[in-house]
């Protein structure tokens, strides 16, 4: 099974700070995804990547960027954090047949 | 675009069966999934079904797929308090495209 880890379970940042959320998967998968989860809105796809140095915008990319320099690592960057980016952030990788495997999530609070 | 719908809440008594329903719009869906999310955790893949199947059973879980009506259900037999969680339905049509998720059904189990 693919194992996906995220660097932090909880983060508190100030408005305007640059925030890095790191995700690592251990099974040599090409595809990785970043979602945010908010009550009543479900999971919304922010960005995804099919391979190293490749990225695709998801449904809500505004205010975010990503970096994929190594196959196992996919970083989500908030260039200037805002309070409306307070959310649970979930990273996932994919097995072609079995679907997406998720990390434990990072709960980010922007004050 | 593709859409996945599910009811937001379900409440059952301990020991009863739970049935969580989901409808989707993409007729080319290849794989359909059920995920479970416990409080404060990421999403855990529970089970999946290929679109050429109409039923899959795995211990207390039964997945039924009506491809004609684009309806997927998850039945949990002998529901326990530990089954209390949010359950997400998701579909994917092919390749490594991102899954499309429903908003999740919060299952509450009453002792």
């Amino acid at each position: 099974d693919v194992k996906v880890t995220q660097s932090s379970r909880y983060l508190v940042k100030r408005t305007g700070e640059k925030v890095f959320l790191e995700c690592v998967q251990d099974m040599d998968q090409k595809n990785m995804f970043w979602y945010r989860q908010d009550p009543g809105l479900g999971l919304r796809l922010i960005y995804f990547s099919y391979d190293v140095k490749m990225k695709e915008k998801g449904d809500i990319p505004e205010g975010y960027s990503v970096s994929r320099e190594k196959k196992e690592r996919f970083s989500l960057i908030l260039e200037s954090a805002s309070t409306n980016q307070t959310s649970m952030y979930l990273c996932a990788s994919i097995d072609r047949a079995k679907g997406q495997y998720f990390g434990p999530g990072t709960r980010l609070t922007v004050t | 675009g593709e859409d996945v719908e599910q009811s937001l809440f379900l409440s059952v008594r301990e020991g009863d069966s739970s049935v969580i329903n989901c409808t989707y719009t993409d007729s080319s869906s290849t794989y359909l999934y059920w995920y479970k999310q416990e409080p404060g955790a990421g999403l855990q893949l529970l089970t999946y079904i290929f679109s050429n199947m109409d039923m899959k059973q795995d211990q207390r879980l039964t997945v039924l797929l009506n491809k004609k009506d684009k309806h997927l259900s998850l039945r949990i037999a002998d529901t326990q308090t530990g089954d209390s969680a949010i359950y997400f339905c998701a579909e994917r049509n092919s390749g490594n495209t991102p899954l499309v998720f429903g908003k999740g059904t919060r299952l509450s189990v009453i002792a």
Side-chain angles (χ1 to χ4, degrees):
Chain A
D1 284 355
V2 176
K3 185 174 178 184
V4 181
T5 56
Q6 295 181 230
S7 51
S8 305
R9 293 299 306 274
Y10 301 95
L11 272 181
V12 180
K13 297 290 182 181
R14 291 193 181 276
T15 302
E17 278 192 81
K18 191 168 185 175
V19 181
F20 292 87
L21 303 182
E22 304 285 342
C23 175
V24 176
Q25 49 97 0
D26 68 353
M27 289 295 290
D28 201 35
Q29 298 289 335
K30 284 188 175 182
N31 303 288
M32 298 185 76
F33 307 83
W34 274 107
Y35 293 85
R36 64 177 281 177
Q37 183 182 16
D38 301 287
L41 298 177
L43 275 75
R44 292 182 290 168
L45 182 64
I46 305 172
Y47 267 98
F48 58 105
S49 169
Y50 286 131
D51 208 340
V52 175
K53 297 194 186 297
M54 295 181 69
K55 61 184 179 183
E56 297 280 344
K57 292 181 180 179
D59 300 319
I60 52 160
E62 296 79 18
Y64 302 94
S65 62
V66 289
S67 172
R68 185 92 182 272
E69 295 298 317
K70 292 185 178 181
K71 196 174 188 180
E72 68 270 19
R73 189 178 298 270
F74 190 34
S75 302
L76 180 70
I77 303 156
L78 287 66
E79 296 288 344
S80 177
S82 62
T83 54
N84 64 11
Q85 292 178 309
T86 291
S87 187
M88 169 74 101
Y89 290 88
L90 294 164
C91 176
S93 188
I94 197 164
D95 176 291
R96 285 184 68 91
K98 294 183 180 178
Q100 289 178 216
Y101 287 87
F102 284 83
T106 297
R107 186 166 292 282
L108 173 66
T109 302
V110 182
T111 61
Chain B
E2 301 152 1
D3 197 17
V4 176
E5 298 279 344
Q6 48 184 133
S7 54
L8 294 181
F9 300 99
L10 177 65
S11 182
V12 298
R13 293 198 176 277
E14 192 175 16
D16 288 351
S17 291
S18 309
V19 180
I20 303 171
N21 293 301
C22 169
T23 58
Y24 59 97
T25 57
D26 186 359
S27 57
S28 62
S29 294
T30 306
Y31 301 98
L32 296 121
Y33 305 88
W34 283 104
Y35 286 83
K36 177 183 181 182
Q37 185 181 35
E38 296 180 353
L43 272 69
Q44 171 197 356
L45 178 64
L46 268 184
T47 187
Y48 61 96
I49 188 168
F50 299 118
S51 59
N52 61 358
M53 298 168 65
D54 53 19
M55 188 181 94
K56 181 178 181 181
Q57 187 151 4
D58 183 2
Q59 300 182 334
R60 291 190 298 122
L61 305 179
T62 303
V63 178
L64 294 177
L65 175 61
N66 181 329
K67 199 173 179 184
K68 174 176 167 287
D69 295 338
K70 300 192 192 70
H71 181 267
L72 183 72
S73 68
L74 174 69
R75 179 176 180 270
I76 306 172
D78 187 25
T79 311
Q80 303 298 308
T81 54
D83 296 323
S84 293
I86 302 175
Y87 291 81
F88 290 90
C89 169
E91 64 89 17
R92 174 161 66 97
N93 55 17
S94 64
N96 296 313
T97 54
L99 273 65
V100 179
F101 287 87
K103 289 187 168 53
T105 299
R106 183 179 294 275
L107 174 64
S108 299
V109 182
I110 306 163

